[in-house]
Amino acid sequence: MSHSTYNQLFQQAQNALNDILELESASSTLDITKDAAAFSRHQNNLYIKYIRIFRKLEVVHDQIAHPQKWKVVEMLLEGVMGRIIEVRREMVDKGLSEFHFMDDVIQDLKLTPSNVEIPIPKYFSRKAVKLREERRQFFVKLLQEEAVTKEKEVPQSTDEAVRIIQIAERARQGRLRARIMRDIWREEQREKNRKLLPPVTMQPAEAATLIQKTWKGYSQRKKTVRQRDEEFEFIGMVPSENANKPSAVNLMAKETAENRHLLQEQYRTEYEKAQPLIKQTVMDTEGPDMKETYREQIRHWFIECYNTSGKFPDYPTVEQGGSDIIFAEKTPDQLLAEILAEEEEKENQKGKKGNVKEVKKEKKGKSKPEPKPEGFSDFLPDITEGNKIYTDVWRDRDESANLLQKHDVELEKEDKRKEVEKEIRLQVDELMREELRNLRMAVERDFSEPPKAKTKPKKARGKEKGSKKKEKDFTANRSLNSLCDELIEQGLLKAAPQVPLASYLGDFSYLGSTLLHANINPMPSLYDIRQIITTYAILPLAKNIAGKYPGKSGLQMMLHMVFKVAKLLQPSILWIDDAEKTFMKKVPKEERALEPKRLKKNLPKLLKQIKAEDRVLLVGTSSRPFDAELKPLFKVYDRIILIPRADYASRYVIWKNFIEEHGGVISNTLDLTSLAKISDGYTPGHLVEVVKSVLTDHRIEQQAKVPLTANNFIRALSKIEPIYQQEETAFMNWASKTPLAKKALKAKREKEALEAAAQEAANKKKR
């Protein structure tokens, strides 16, 4: 696509942002207590519109070449991304549910589920390519060294080596003997069939007619089947043979996108090199005039203040803003009035001795941060600022002379002029403070008091009351390599597989809002889980602590090392499998030796050490959460997400995609509809296991002669235990005890009580 295409897409995103900022102002008038349904519709509408803007900005950010526009797009993209997370959290807090069904809103907006799915920005992976590759090589090297060390530690005996060679040789001889016996059996079958054939008594003309009839019938049937398949493929009833093969247009689009990435890097490099040169040019050409102008203005301010009050003013400090206050669109009289008011206020404060004790008491007490008001957003100011920059700078800018979309020198001069002004003001402030000091010494020499001797402040003994205790570093003298070596050796640090989030398959829930209107609580789909994973988490690394670091001191060392490495290698994932075992009510006898509850006390303490700026995510998974104590479990994990069983649409998508991914060919003989219906109650992991067991290399080679059927998969599926209704009910009952579910139940009861009271009042009026 051309530069103008992405400029137009940028403009469309900005127009949508203007509309949504107006919609944001309307949210303050909505009250959930009065009209919960209207509030829910408003939030769903807001959420979907932000996602659509986010998708447009993500494409523009990935492909736009202009380096200065790219900076504005990045600001808006990060702001919109943060606002999406904020809106979702508001929906969870107000709706008291992790899942929200928006099929009615999507239908009203004439959209499809793919239009409102949150994409993972491409610049996430592009930005961290170098870091990810370095980390991958780092772990590969450590894992290889660990494997070599283990091989050296366990030398192989001669008898063991001979036994392995004998097994391999006997297997080779067995395969060779089987191949020979198969060839002999086939030759015997051919001889037997040859003897059973009757002698040929047909005339050549009759034989030719029979051959023609047979061939024409075969060719016509084949032609009819091909035409039927083409018709079904055209109307979308059967998958296309080339559906998974990229077309020439797609390959060309991919190549163009890669070329634009290279163009982006080239333009950005040129822009970064040009910035210091442009700044120096502005400094050399305009700097001297700026410096002289500022000095004249400040001298004028000195004289005006002296003529008005009879003394020179106090020069604003760096913390107060320096000469920025003087040039903040105020006259010298206004500035003088402000200075006099400040001095008068200081004198009044000195006279009030009783207030000193109160101030000291306030300082002694711990000041708690004020809670943010409801509806406050950390990201709306960034969105508003980016939108204003686009409106003021880019919307009406004539770029007819910049067809290549390189950086705009004049625009950069405007930005650098502000930096130059700031630097020159700092220089002028130093000079003018010295000049003001000399003026005072010259004019007020007779009235000045002798300087008092400076006394050294006494050193405070002991620790200050408010000082926090430093965290003890048990591994202060150890390098990152040594820490990783030990964690790898103990099986606590493992490399994560490269799995894209798109491989977590699941279809959209098309009847969610319809069921809600019918007072039926719908089950979320795997599509909803994928959306939540996009918002809350990423794929985890596996960790196992059974039998490692025994005892209290060993536990502290293990947790310290894990959290320290996680912070050093952030962004990182801490994954605890069987998370319920840490908080088990009663440990079974067979698991007591593993000490599963030893993390219970130390884990919450270490989680408090993870700051907001640390990109460390703790993820726990459990197949038996009802075995754990609820209160400590909910204290450690902020979000509790129940993974539902796959619905029919999701099972159909999983069967289709995984069969094709593992080399299977979906033909008319394979009834995916029946397969998706029969597999109700099985998890996606079960379906993947079945596909892998059926589609062996030998079976894939046979597909041309023996196509796949549903029976091939049903036989393997019947050997796996499904998830029964009783087990699913147990999970649902446990999920109803989570804090969010309890709040939802309480709100529902309050609503029912209010409705009952209103109905009773209405009945009394009728009487």
Side-chain angles (χ1 to χ4, degrees), residues 258-272:
E258 293 298 327
N259 292 336
R260 290 190 69 87
H261 289 162
L262 297 175
L263 189 65
Q264 270 186 344
E265 293 298 325
Q266 177 189 340
Y267 283 3
R268 210 170 300 159
T269 304
E270 293 176 359
Y271 176 57
E272 290 172 357

Side-chain angles (χ1 to χ4, degrees), residues 625-626 642 724-737:
F626 26 77
L642 176 65
Y724 293 106
Q725 185 64 38
Q726 295 85 347
E727 190 173 356
E728 186 177 358
T729 304
F731 277 104
M732 296 297 294
N733 291 337
W734 180 87
S736 64
K737 299 175 183 178

Side-chain angles (χ1 to χ4, degrees), residues 23 140 156 180 211 220 327 358 381 388 419 425 500 526 533 538 554 581 633 636 639 682 690 697 738:
L23 190 63
V140 167
Q156 197 174 53
I180 293 171
I211 292 171
Q220 184 59 42
F327 303 133
E358 295 179 5
K388 186 176 183 301
E419 295 181 15
R425 280 183 181 179
L526 298 183
I533 291 173
I538 54 177
K581 292 184 178 180
L633 180 70
V636 170
R639 302 284 177 180
Y682 291 90
V690 168
D697 294 339
T738 60

Side-chain angles (χ1 to χ4, degrees), residues 434-445:
E434 184 65 27
E435 186 173 329
L436 180 61
R437 197 176 299 115
N438 295 334
L439 284 172
R440 279 177 175 168
M441 290 174 63
V443 177
E444 302 174 358
R445 185 177 294 120

Side-chain angles (χ1 to χ4, degrees), residues 571-584:
S572 53
I573 302 294
L574 300 176
W575 178 47
I576 301 178
D577 196 13
D578 296 328
E580 80 282 353
K581 292 184 178 180
T582 307
F583 310 98
M584 289 182 79

Side-chain angles (χ1 to χ4, degrees), residues 653-711:
V653 172
I654 290 170
W655 278 118
K656 181 179 181 297
N657 282 270
F658 275 106
I659 289 174
E660 292 176 343
E661 184 179 325
H662 288 81
V665 177
I666 298 177
S667 60
N668 295 331
T669 60
L670 180 57
D671 189 0
L672 287 179
T673 302
S674 301
L675 201 58
K677 186 67 177 176
I678 291 172
S679 56
D680 187 14
Y682 291 90
T683 66
H686 291 155
L687 305 188
V688 175
E689 184 181 342
V690 168
V691 171
K692 287 181 178 179
S693 64
V694 171
L695 292 178
T696 60
D697 294 339
H698 180 65
R699 185 65 184 89
I700 291 173
E701 292 175 357
Q702 289 183 329
Q703 287 184 104
K705 296 180 180 178
V706 185
L708 293 172
T709 62
N711 290 331

